[in-house]
Amino acid sequence: RTFTFPIQRAADIVYGFASDVENLPRWASALGARVEKLSDERARGYTLEGPIEIEFAPLNPYFVRDHWATTPDGARIFVPMRVVPHGEACIVLLTLIRLPDMSDERFREDGDWMARDLAALKAVMEA
């Protein structure tokens, strides 16, 4: 399931903000209330289910911010994310990939959470 959120800010500004690990608690609640920066490309979030490790694609001029999340139970989840320039604004695309053993209910819940997080990113960036 791919989410698309138009944001009325330039792509480089949104990409820079979303790529800064220290900004994650302001919009990415799926990673937990506290996110610890391990490096520019790695972070650890503290969720109710336990710690989650996040590894980001290196910063790049294409505004790709794909990441891999390793859950407390050891599952490694790929999350493609792009910031696409659109005039003076941009569109953020994030794809939620369904895991083979994921129930319909869990996939729907995760999707709802991703939508809330992207709405939060939009709200922060347009404030």
Side-chain angles (χ1 to χ4, degrees), residues 45-126:
Y46 294 91
T47 70
L48 295 176
E49 296 174 348
I52 185 169
E53 300 284 329
I54 306 101
E55 180 183 348
F56 296 96
L59 294 175
N60 59 80
Y62 308 107
F63 305 139
V64 172
R65 196 56 171 166
D66 293 354
H67 52 283
W68 294 259
T70 303
T71 63
D73 64 1
R76 188 163 162 84
I77 304 165
F78 177 58
V79 183
M81 183 175 172
R82 310 283 191 277
V83 179
V84 179
H86 185 64
E88 294 182 15
C90 68
I91 300 170
V92 175
L93 301 160
L94 184 142
T95 300
L96 177 63
I97 298 172
R98 185 177 184 148
L99 299 176
D101 60 345
M102 186 179 275
S103 70
D104 290 345
E105 180 179 356
R106 178 62 190 255
F107 186 65
R108 189 172 37 258
E109 288 171 355
D110 284 0
D112 291 346
W113 203 323
M114 293 296 111
R116 284 192 304 271
D117 281 358
L118 291 172
L121 175 62
K122 177 180 175 70
V124 169
M125 298 292 5
E126 292 181 352

Side-chain angles (χ1 to χ4, degrees), residues 7-80:
I7 298 180
Q8 297 304 310
R9 291 292 296 269
D12 60 336
I13 293 171
V14 173
Y15 178 73
F17 180 86
S19 296
D20 186 338
V21 171
E22 293 178 2
N23 290 330
L24 291 174
R26 295 183 60 193
W27 67 274
S29 68
L31 302 179
R34 183 169 73 91
V35 179
E36 176 184 7
K37 181 177 180 174
L38 303 176
S39 73
D40 287 341
E41 297 170 5
R42 294 188 61 240
R44 180 178 297 120
Y46 294 91
T47 70
L48 295 176
E49 296 174 348
I52 185 169
E53 300 284 329
I54 306 101
E55 180 183 348
F56 296 96
L59 294 175
N60 59 80
Y62 308 107
F63 305 139
V64 172
R65 196 56 171 166
D66 293 354
H67 52 283
W68 294 259
T70 303
T71 63
D73 64 1
R76 188 163 162 84
I77 304 165
F78 177 58
V79 183

